[in-house]
Amino acid sequence: MSKQPVHIARRDLDDCRVPLVNEPLSAGQAERLAPSFKALGDPVRLRLLSLIASHAGGEVCVCDLTDAFDLTAPTISHHLKVLKETGLVSAERRGTWVYYRARPEALGLLSTVLAVPQEAAA
Amino acid sequence: MSKQPVHIARRDLDDCRVPLVNEPLSAGQAERLAPSFKALGDPVRLRLLSLIASHAGGEVCVCDLTDAFDLTAPTISHHLKVLKETGLVSAERRGTWVYYRARPEALGLLSTVLAVPQEAAA
């Protein structure tokens, strides 16, 4: 088994780091952003992401994630793959297990897209 | 035709206003948040939302939204309904047309859920 980090499918989102309340998204920006929001549009994936992102040390073994849900390992693996393919988490295989980390730059970008002026959010 | 504001299906998200990097989401929180992210997981809905949210005056007639896309009016209406049902926009019928507004408190809440400490987002 490879010890290389699992490669992350990255889409270029650099030009999307603008609140959508500021100006209309282009069709291209919307096409590139939508898969990330779609990945978050599932309760199991949201919980997986928050378990990974909030974990002390920033890293979680897939073995610990599987234990946290009443779901089969292949189902958890499928959801983790979706999170990885959209760049929301990264994964590294070490020995038997794969270890997951949240990618704060990806979360931060999506947070920025949805940001509103503070006085409007109250 | 009614002149009453179209009622918005609201889910109680008040207890979800916490960054998911801070602590794991509960199953209940994830269930309530996921539909909003799913609504954003479509490029047409993202563009519609940004067109509405960034519009001068904060309000857009459905007639102007339909003109901005190479899609049929029923398709646009379907996407607007999804945005409305998740509370991301509000709608008000006045005479012939329905007028849409973004709901900044809903956008702000989702932005907060995805927020990361500034030094981590670079």
Side-chain angles (χ1 to χ4, degrees), chain B residues 42-98:
Chain B
D42 178 279
V44 173
R45 287 198 291 270
L46 268 180
R47 285 182 67 201
L48 279 167
L49 180 61
S50 72
L51 276 169
I52 296 167
S54 67
H55 201 268
E59 191 176 73
V60 186
C61 175
V62 66
C63 50
D64 293 324
L65 292 170
T66 309
D67 289 348
F69 293 85
D70 191 18
L71 293 168
T72 65
T75 299
I76 298 290
S77 288
H78 162 73
H79 287 305
L80 288 168
K81 188 178 168 206
V82 174
L83 290 174
K84 197 178 63 176
E85 284 177 346
T86 50
L88 288 161
V89 303
S90 60
E92 188 180 359
R93 181 177 291 279
R94 294 202 297 274
T96 307
W97 299 109
V98 180

Side-chain angles (χ1 to χ4, degrees), chain A residues 76-91:
Chain A
I76 298 289
S77 289
H78 161 73
H79 286 305
L80 288 168
K81 188 177 169 209
V82 174
L83 290 173
K84 198 178 63 178
E85 284 177 347
T86 49
L88 288 162
V89 303
S90 61

Side-chain angles (χ1 to χ4, degrees), chain A residues 63-83:
Chain A
C63 50
D64 294 324
L65 292 171
T66 309
D67 289 349
F69 292 85
D70 190 19
L71 293 168
T72 65
T75 300
I76 298 289
S77 289
H78 161 73
H79 286 305
L80 288 168
K81 188 177 169 209
V82 174
L83 290 173

Side-chain angles (χ1 to χ4, degrees), chain A residues 21 24-25 30 37 50 54 104 111 120, chain B residues 21 24-25 30 37 47 50 54 104 111 120:
Chain A
V21 305
L25 291 170
F37 287 119
S50 71
S54 66
S111 178
Chain B
V21 305
L25 291 170
F37 288 119
R47 285 182 67 201
S50 72
S54 67
S111 178

Side-chain angles (χ1 to χ4, degrees), chain A residues 88-112:
Chain A
L88 288 162
V89 303
S90 61
E92 188 179 359
R93 180 178 290 279
R94 294 200 298 273
T96 306
W97 298 110
V98 179
Y99 294 81
Y100 287 88
R101 284 182 176 274
R103 295 189 60 245
E105 66 276 27
L107 282 168
L109 187 142
L110 298 181
S111 178
T112 297

